[in-house]
Amino acid sequence: MVKICCIGAGYVGGPTMAVMALKCPEIEVSVVDISEPRINAWNSDKLPIYEPGLDDVVKQCRGRNLFFSTDVERHVFESDIVFVSVNTPTKTQGLGAGKAADLTYWESAARMIADVSKSSKIVVEKSTVPVRTAEAIEKILTHNSKGIEFQILSNPEFLAEGTAVKDLYNPDRVLIGGRGNAAGEKAVQALRDVYAHWVPVERIICTNLWSAELSKLAANAFLAQRISSVNAMSALCEATGADVTQVAHAVGTDTRIGPKFLNASVGFGGSCFQKDILNLIYICECNGLPEAANYWKQVIKVNDYQKTRFANRVVSSMFNTVSGKKVAILGFAFKKDTGDTRETPAIDVCNRLVADKAKLSIYDPQVLEEQIRKDLFMARFDWDHPVSLQQIKAEGMLEQVSVVSDAYEATKDAHGICVLTEWDEFKSLDFERIFESMRKPAFVFDGRNVVDAVKLREIGFIVYSIGKPLDSWLKNMPSVA
Ligand code: NAI
C-alpha cells in the first residue's frame, strides 16, 4: 500500500488530503501537524475549518484511510510520498521583512524529513514558495541523506477557500513540476498516477520545478490584479455616474477577458493574494527588475486605496464623524463560506472606524469572537505565525468593539451598517425591521454589492454601493480617498 503523509493540517493540507483519501481508497493518507488543538479538532465532530462539503468527506474516510496525528516523525518515516503544506507567511523581521516569504517552517520540516527518513521518498512542495525553493530544500535533504534518494516535486495548490472541496473534486488543472532527469520524471509519474484517480490526465500539467513554483505566484498575482483593476474602475464609476456592474459585464463578455473575478468590492483579502504578490515583488527586486516589481506593487496599492476609500466614505457620509456612533459590521471573514479572516478587508475598515472612535458591533456567521478580537489587535503579518510570536497591540480599543451573534442585534440602534462579506444570509435580512430599529438617518454601506439598493432606498435608507451612481446625499458629502 502506498503511504502518503502531509505535514501541515491547515486550510490546504486538511481538505486536499481528505479528498485524496476519498478518491484513492487504496492509499493510506496521514495528515500531521505540530499543533495539538488543530489535530484534535480534525479528529472531532467540529473540524478546525469551515468548508462546505468538507465534513462529509472527512466522515467518509477518517479512520479508514485518512488519519490525523501529531506524531509527525513516525508518519514521515513510514511514507513514500511526503507533502509539505506548512504556512509560508511574509517575513516580519530582518532581510526582506514585509515582503519576502518566511521559510522557517518549511526549512524545519525539510530538516526533520532528512533526519527521520530511512527510505527513499518523494517530497512534494504544496505550500506556495518563492521560485527556486525546491533547490534549497533539495540541498537540505541531500546534505543529510545518508545515501537515501529524495526527489523534490512542486505541486502548488490552486483551491479557493469557500469552494475548496468543489475545486479539489474538479480542478481546472493540477500542476506538477519536477526535475527533467529519469528519476525526476519517475517521481512526476508517481504523483500523476495519484491524481489520475479522479482528475482527467489532460488536466494534469507537468513542467519543470521553477515554472511550477512561479506559476502559483503568477496565478495569484493575475487574479488579484483583476480585482484591483475592477476596483480602480469602481472609483471612476462613482465619480462619473457609470455603474461598475454594467461596465464589468460589458468588459467580461469579451471572450479574451472573460466574466470571472470582475466583482467590485471593498478589496481582496485572504492569506494568499497579498503575501504572494509581496513575495513576487521581492523576487523581482532581487533579480534586478524594479519596473516589474513596481508594476505588481500597484495591485496592492489599489487594494489599500479601495479599503481606505470605503472607510472614508463611511465617515464623510455620516457628517464627517463617527465618534461615539454605533456602526454595525456585517461580515468579517475575507469572503463568504469560510471562517478565515486572514488579511480580510474588514480588519482595515474596522481599525479605521475605531480610530475615528466609532463603536462597532460585529456579526459574522462563521467567525468566532476570539478571532475577531485577535485580528483587530494584532500587528500586521503576525497572524500567520505561531501564537507565541504574535504581538498584541494595545487593548484600549476593546471597549469600542462588541461581537454579537446575529445581524438584528448588531444593527439595533446603529447609525450605519457596513456589509463587508458577501454572506448569502445578508441578502434576505428583514431590512424593514432593521430600519425601524436604527437611528436616523440610517445608512448602509455595501462593500460587496449584495443588498438590493433600490429596495433599501424605498424603505428609507441612504445607501452606498461600491462603483454605483451615488445617492444625492452622498454626492453632497464628498469623500477624501
Ligand atoms: P495554515 O496556517 O492553515 O496551515 C499550516 C499548518 O502547518 C499549521 O497548522 C501549522 O501548525 C503547521 N506547521 C507549521 N510548521 C510545521 C512543522 N514543522 N511540522 C508540522 N506542522 C507544521 O496554512 P494554509 O492556509 O493551509 O497554507 C499552507 C500553504 O499553502 C501556504 O504556503 C499557503 O500560501 C498555501 N496555499 C494556501 C491556500 C489557501 O487558500 N489557504 C491556497 C493555496 C495555497
Side-chain angles (χ1 to χ4, degrees):
M1 192 187 221
V2 174
K3 286 193 177 180
I4 288 181
C5 169
C6 175
I7 306 177
Y11 285 87
V12 168
T16 317
M17 292 300 126
V19 169
M20 198 171 274
L22 184 76
K23 299 291 184 180
C24 310
E26 83 286 8
I27 297 179
E28 186 181 304
V29 180
S30 305
V31 191
V32 296
D33 204 294
I34 41 176
S35 162
E36 210 172 313
R38 219 166 203 187
I39 289 297
N40 289 343
W42 279 111
N43 282 321
S44 76
D45 286 338
K46 178 98 182 85
L47 301 184
I49 62 173
Y50 172 70
E51 271 298 336
L54 184 61
D55 276 18
D56 193 41
V57 178
V58 171
K59 267 187 200 135
Q60 285 186 63
C61 340
R62 196 172 52 194
R64 184 190 75 185
N65 66 330
L66 175 67
F67 303 93
F68 294 94
S69 167
T70 49
D71 195 348
V72 182
E73 298 191 355
R74 178 170 71 83
H75 287 285
V76 169
F77 168 80
E78 289 175 356
S79 296
D80 308 291
I81 303 177
V82 181
F83 285 82
V84 183
S85 184
V86 299
N87 34 333
T88 50
T90 305
K91 271 183 94 169
T92 51
Q93 299 171 16
L95 188 65
K99 275 188 274 192
D102 186 342
L103 293 177
T104 314
Y105 309 105
W106 224 118
E107 184 179 335
S108 89
R111 288 187 189 281
M112 183 271 301
I113 297 170
D115 285 347
V116 306
S117 294
K118 298 264 184 301
S119 60
S120 297
K121 296 191 192 308
I122 296 172
V123 177
V124 186
E125 285 178 348
K126 197 49 138 169
S127 304
T128 305
V129 290
V131 190
R132 301 205 85 93
T133 299
E135 201 166 38
I137 299 302
E138 214 168 43
K139 286 203 175 97
I140 293 174
L141 290 171
T142 47
H143 187 69
N144 300 328
S145 72
K146 305 158 270 184
I148 299 164
E149 199 197 322
F150 290 104
Q151 275 303 320
I152 318 289
L153 300 179
S154 166
N155 172 220
E157 184 50 60
F158 293 99
L159 68 78
E161 283 176 36
T163 52
V165 173
K166 195 168 134 263
D167 296 345
L168 289 164
Y169 277 162
N170 190 21
D172 289 340
R173 78 313 209 175
V174 165
L175 180 56
I176 305 175
R179 288 274 184 203
N181 55 23
E185 280 171 12
K186 199 172 152 210
V188 169
Q189 189 57 44
L191 188 56
R192 210 167 176 238
D193 289 345
V194 173
Y195 281 107
H197 280 74
W198 79 99
V199 180
V201 284
E202 64 279 8
R203 284 201 224 157
I204 305 179
I205 302 172
C206 299
T207 66
N208 74 29
L209 275 171
W210 330 128
S211 300
E213 288 178 339
L214 184 56
S215 298
K216 174 64 194 175
L217 295 181
N220 273 352
F222 275 53
L223 288 169
Q225 179 206 46
R226 280 175 77 95
I227 299 177
S228 280
S229 298
V230 78
N231 281 344
M233 282 300 158
S234 74
L236 190 56
C237 286
E238 287 166 30
T240 57
D243 180 327
V244 76
T245 308
Q246 293 174 353
V247 173
H249 178 67
V251 170
T253 43
D254 186 325
T255 50
R256 292 167 303 175
I257 298 171
K260 293 185 181 167
F261 255 67
L262 284 179
N263 286 332
S265 69
V266 60
F268 61 73
S271 66
C272 296
F273 282 178
Q274 171 151 310
K275 155 175 94 73
D276 293 350
I277 296 176
L278 286 171
N279 188 358
L280 190 65
I281 292 166
Y282 185 67
I283 295 170
C284 291
E285 286 171 351
C286 292
N287 282 283
L289 304 168
E291 288 81 3
N294 286 337
Y295 177 76
W296 291 112
K297 249 181 220 169
Q298 206 54 35
V299 172
I300 292 181
K301 280 192 185 163
V302 169
N303 198 45
D304 288 338
Y305 163 71
Q306 190 75 346
K307 291 182 274 190
T308 309
R309 205 168 75 75
F310 182 87
N312 287 354
R313 177 74 76 186
V314 175
V315 179
S316 68
S317 305
M318 294 164 79
F319 313 98
N320 231 8
T321 175
V322 286
S323 180
K325 292 178 184 166
K326 177 173 172 182
V327 178
I329 304 292
L330 299 188
F332 198 82
F334 83 93
K335 65 162 155 170
K336 75 169 180 175
D337 291 338
T338 177
D340 195 353
T341 60
R342 295 179 289 182
E343 291 291 341
T344 175
I347 296 176
D348 295 80
V349 172
C350 289
N351 278 335
R352 170 76 179 78
L353 297 177
V354 164
D356 248 305
K357 300 196 166 40
K359 287 185 178 160
L360 302 185
S361 185
I362 306 176
Y363 165 65
D364 186 286
Q366 282 297 332
V367 185
L368 300 175
E369 171 162 4
E370 188 194 354
Q371 185 61 49
I372 293 175
R373 292 202 177 276
K374 246 192 199 172
D375 288 331
L376 291 181
F377 306 117
M378 194 181 293
R380 205 149 192 218
F381 297 128
D382 268 1
W383 49 263
D384 214 359
H385 290 267
V387 175
S388 56
L389 299 180
Q390 292 169 0
Q391 300 161 23
I392 305 295
K393 281 191 289 188
E395 297 202 356
M397 295 188 288
L398 271 174
E399 291 158 18
Q400 270 172 267
V401 176
S402 64
V403 180
V404 297
S405 56
D406 83 82
Y408 298 103
E409 194 184 341
T411 50
K412 189 172 180 302
D413 291 323
H415 290 254
I417 301 173
C418 297
V419 181
L420 299 184
T421 313
E422 70 281 22
W423 286 103
D424 288 337
E425 67 175 66
F426 297 156
K427 290 181 194 160
S428 53
L429 288 171
D430 181 347
F431 277 102
E432 304 218 0
R433 173 179 162 197
I434 289 175
F435 183 76
E436 289 309 315
S437 74
M438 283 176 67
R439 310 289 290 267
K440 309 294 176 321
F443 296 86
V444 172
F445 302 92
D446 186 358
R448 299 286 179 166
N449 287 346
V450 289
V451 302
D452 182 341
V454 175
K455 206 170 132 200
L456 262 59
R457 285 189 186 114
E458 277 168 20
I459 294 173
F461 284 104
I462 295 164
V463 185
Y464 166 71
S465 308
I466 299 249
K468 306 275 183 172
L470 297 175
D471 282 7
S472 53
W473 177 289
L474 299 167
K475 261 193 214 150
N476 297 333
M477 298 270 186
S479 174
V480 189

